[in-house]
Amino acid sequence: MEISIGTMVLIPVVAVAAPLLVRAVGVWVAVPLVVFEIVLGIVLGPSVLGWIAPDDFVELLSDLGLAMLFFLAGNEIDFRTIRGRPLSRAAIGWIVSLAAGFGIAVLLAPDIPAAAFIGIALTSTALGTVMPILRDAGDLRTPFGISVIALGAIGEFGPLLAISLFLTGRTPGLAAIVLLVFAAVAGVAIYAAAKGHGDRLHVVITATMHTSAQFGVRLVVLVLVALLALSIVLDLDMLLGAFTAGVLFRVLISGAPDSDRRLLETKVEAVGYGFLVPVFFIMTGVTFDLEALGDPSTLALVPLFVVLLLVVRGIPSILAAPIGADRWTVAATALFGATGLPIIVAVTGIGTDTGDLETGVAAALVGAGMISVLLFPLIGLALRKRASDAPDRRVDDDTEVPVEG
């Protein structure tokens, strides 16, 4: 396996520098961490300075980082909180987004396969990006926050299903059968965990929480790798397995003592957000085709895709806005729903690997996703502050609030 020593050193340097830049710039404007990670990757990568070059080892870590990102997204979702109206309205909105995205993409793309990639990319919501923003704003457990979480859950799971159904090379019928097999195996595991069959594991997790055994963290690795392997064996997108693994693990540890559960989640987040996930976002910048945006026609696609994210994903997201929400909250819901990047990176990566998507179009989509992550939450928060029910202080993210049925 080819390993570049310079790349091994510079990636951790970027990973450390990015949070420092967030704090420095945060005095004037709140810039999401992933934006700095990607931009620094572009600057230090082959497109500009050429100090960081992709190699086999780092690409493996990047793939693991992407899988961990979706595992953490699945683990963040509390379906008991978003069940009922928020989840159902978010699902309806996503179906509208899928139809609109594919319909518009057909007009832009040279063929149907390219249109499928573009259309699915436009339907995503970056749950892992918007949740920390909601938490910091004290809006995580408000009706608005619950609506956005529901949008994020569907906006990540829906595109993964679409990828597995339409972008695997199988006929939709056969793909659906394979997907049902995966759902059956994962469903049995989640059902068993929900029925308390994992209670004995809680004892071991507690007993090893402060020892070198670290059974809980090892269990996370096992659950993640097992469902990744299942998805690969069934020739499904591995991110579907990673996302489902996160949901399964949340159910599995839901009955553990609160202090142990929180400590274990902190350790898992440390492995993910402290190590693997930054590698993925930095390598997204390193492999970003900046040269392709030198073509004026390709560059013009970036603002077009930004607008399409608002039209295709933002407008249907309004369906999930809380009952009785004022216009500021409705607009903020649309902006948060249209915030997307990880799925866009994943979908465009598959498209360029198969040759169905031009690298320039892929770069324009990723660029639009970066702009959405940078601008949409900031504008959404500014609008949300004008809402009549906007939180005036940071809310403990474990505080329970009534959920709309």
Side-chain angles (χ1 to χ4, degrees):
M1 178 179 293
E2 181 183 352
I3 301 177
S4 168
I5 301 300
T7 296
M8 286 182 61
V9 174
L10 285 174
I11 286 180
V13 169
V14 172
V16 170
L20 297 177
L21 289 172
V22 169
R23 289 183 60 86
V25 176
V27 177
W28 298 283
V29 61
V31 178
L33 176 63
V34 297
V35 173
F36 279 113
E37 290 171 340
I38 293 175
V39 169
L40 288 173
I42 293 173
V43 172
L44 297 181
S47 294
V48 183
L49 297 177
W51 294 354
I52 297 179
D55 60 47
D56 295 338
F57 177 69
V58 176
E59 287 181 358
L60 174 61
L61 289 180
S62 177
D63 289 341
L64 290 175
L66 180 58
M68 180 60 79
L69 179 66
F70 280 86
F71 174 90
L72 291 169
N75 187 58
E76 287 269 19
I77 300 172
D78 185 352
F79 285 97
R80 293 172 299 178
T81 300
I82 64 175
R83 70 182 185 274
R85 182 183 183 277
L87 194 61
S88 61
R89 296 296 289 265
I92 294 171
W94 184 81
I95 293 172
V96 174
S97 292
L98 183 63
F102 183 74
I104 294 174
V106 167
L107 302 177
L108 299 174
D111 50 41
I112 296 300
F117 282 102
I118 295 172
I120 292 174
L122 292 173
T123 66
S124 66
T125 299
L127 178 63
T129 299
V130 301
M131 284 193 72
I133 296 173
L134 291 173
R135 183 182 293 114
D136 292 343
D139 239 336
L140 190 63
R141 297 294 179 178
T142 63
F144 166 72
I146 290 169
S147 295
V148 173
I149 293 171
L151 286 170
I154 297 298
E156 292 210 331
F157 191 64
L160 293 178
L161 288 179
I163 291 171
S164 299
L165 281 172
F166 304 116
L167 304 183
T168 57
R170 297 191 181 101
T171 61
L174 179 58
I177 293 173
V178 174
L179 195 59
L180 286 174
V181 172
F182 175 85
V185 175
V188 168
I190 292 173
Y191 177 79
K195 285 297 182 180
H197 294 294
D199 288 349
R200 294 181 180 178
L201 297 177
H202 300 161
V203 177
V204 185
I205 290 173
T206 300
T208 61
M209 189 66 70
H210 301 285
T211 71
S212 60
Q214 293 295 322
F215 177 77
V217 177
R218 298 183 187 201
L219 183 61
V220 168
V221 175
L222 174 61
V223 172
L224 176 59
V225 172
L227 282 172
L228 283 178
L230 178 62
S231 61
I232 292 172
V233 167
L234 295 177
D235 198 21
L236 297 170
D237 188 78
M238 73 168 189
L239 300 183
L240 181 62
F243 187 89
T244 307
V247 175
L248 170 59
F249 189 73
R250 183 179 183 92
V251 175
L252 196 62
I253 65 170
S254 60
D258 284 346
S259 59
D260 291 342
R261 175 179 57 80
R262 292 177 184 175
L263 180 56
L264 178 57
E265 288 178 343
T266 299
K267 292 183 177 184
V268 174
E269 288 177 355
V271 174
Y273 293 126
F275 173 40
L276 293 173
V277 174
V279 177
F280 163 67
F281 282 117
I282 294 167
M283 289 304 297
T284 297
V286 170
T287 57
F288 185 80
D289 190 358
L290 187 62
E291 184 178 351
L293 295 182
D295 182 359
S297 61
T298 302
L299 184 61
L301 289 176
V302 177
L304 174 62
F305 285 140
V306 172
V307 173
L308 288 180
L309 283 171
L310 285 171
V311 173
V312 171
R313 185 65 185 133
I315 293 177
S317 295
I318 293 174
L319 293 173
I323 295 175
D326 58 28
R327 66 181 185 277
W328 306 114
T329 297
V330 170
T333 302
L335 286 163
F336 271 90
T339 302
L341 183 60
I343 286 285
I344 294 175
V345 172
V347 171
T348 54
I350 297 172
T352 53
D353 288 343
T354 59
D356 292 315
L357 197 63
E358 295 179 0
T359 56
V361 176
L365 277 167
V366 173
M370 291 170 58
I371 292 173
S372 76
V373 167
L374 177 61
L375 295 182
F376 292 174
L378 293 178
I379 299 172
L381 284 181
L383 295 176
R384 175 64 181 151
K385 289 178 181 178
R386 300 186 179 188
S388 57
D389 64 336
D392 57 2
R393 60 182 176 83
R394 181 186 174 99
V395 178
D396 187 330
D397 56 10
D398 286 319
T399 302
E400 299 294 333
V401 298
V403 180
E404 298 172 351

